[in-house]
Amino acid sequence: MMIQFRPTAIIWDLDGTLVDSAPDLASALNTVLDMRGFFTLSVAEIRLMIGNGVPKLVERGFNAVGVRPDPAQLDELIAMFVKEYKKCATNNTRPYPGIVEALQEIQSMNIPMGVCTNKPEAFTRQILEGLGLSGYFGSVIGGDTTNARKPDPKPVLACLHGLVSEPASSLMIGDSVHDVHAARAAGVTIGVVPWGYRSAPVKDLGADFILRDATALPAMIRASKEPLKQTTH
């Protein structure tokens, strides 16, 4: 697989792309379920609920035990989840294999990088700092940083604005159909990783390429052609 250009910036998704956060998300969700007297869910079940932000995760978790919370109840459950997750967000969350090496090498190539995730910005920064990753990223956009979440292109464009990079010459790496749709709508080339959280097969996500090994990305960039000229309209 070839990347057709040397990117002027790279945006990464967080959960399921840079880090495996499912164990800690599951721990917080299961604590809230248990506090409310419900049975808990397996990490494998919760893995498939991740990706649309905290409110959706909590709603899906309670739906899975047969509860349809009304808006006021859901707000209360979300507040409980946030409190629990803050305590455990980096207990068992780790970067995926090869991620740190890839980030180090790309940083040494002087290509600016950012994170664009549907996770709240405060948790995103907590995780990046807790795992020693924050120094790699010049722009961090969470699900509550702008007034929209992926698959809307707005957070992607906000992240690129922070990196001073045009969409046409930028690259995004994610793990879900929301990442693909957001990148497409923003006009950004998108690669997806086969690890991560989704229910559809990776080949069906409609990305430009599949990144099967994070450590291969720097070599793919080196093998690419010259940088695209950043055009102004």
Side-chain angles (χ1 to χ4, degrees), residues 210-228:
I210 298 171
L211 178 65
R212 298 195 179 278
D213 174 6
T215 59
L217 186 59
M220 288 164 67
I221 293 167
R222 286 204 178 87
S224 66
K225 297 170 187 171
E226 283 304 294
L228 281 181

Side-chain angles (χ1 to χ4, degrees), residues 31-150:
T31 299
V32 177
L33 285 167
D34 186 56
M35 286 161 77
R36 283 299 171 99
F38 295 102
F39 60 86
T40 56
L41 304 167
S42 70
V43 176
E45 287 174 291
I46 292 170
R47 223 173 259 280
L48 298 177
M49 301 175 186
I50 299 168
N52 286 87
V54 165
K56 263 294 178 225
L57 174 63
V58 175
E59 185 182 359
R60 287 168 178 163
F62 275 82
N63 288 352
V65 297
V67 178
R68 297 274 181 275
D70 66 36
Q73 289 171 322
L74 186 59
D75 285 346
E76 191 183 330
L77 295 171
I78 290 165
M80 291 170 70
F81 175 89
V82 165
K83 188 178 171 189
E84 294 304 320
Y85 189 50
K86 202 175 284 184
K87 296 178 199 168
C88 71
T90 56
N91 284 3
N92 295 294
T93 293
R94 297 291 178 267
Y96 283 102
I99 286 293
V100 174
E101 295 87 334
L103 294 176
Q104 287 171 341
E105 208 171 332
I106 292 165
Q107 188 178 55
S108 75
M109 296 160 76
N110 293 317
I111 297 173
M113 292 184 286
V115 171
C116 181
T117 172
N118 282 341
K119 184 188 284 291
E121 186 181 332
F123 285 138
T124 302
R125 292 186 181 277
Q126 180 184 345
I127 287 168
L128 293 175
E129 282 159 25
L131 300 184
L133 301 177
S134 56
Y136 295 109
F137 303 108
S139 181
V140 175
I141 302 294
D144 53 358
T145 309
T146 70
N147 62 2
R149 291 189 179 123
K150 298 179 293 185

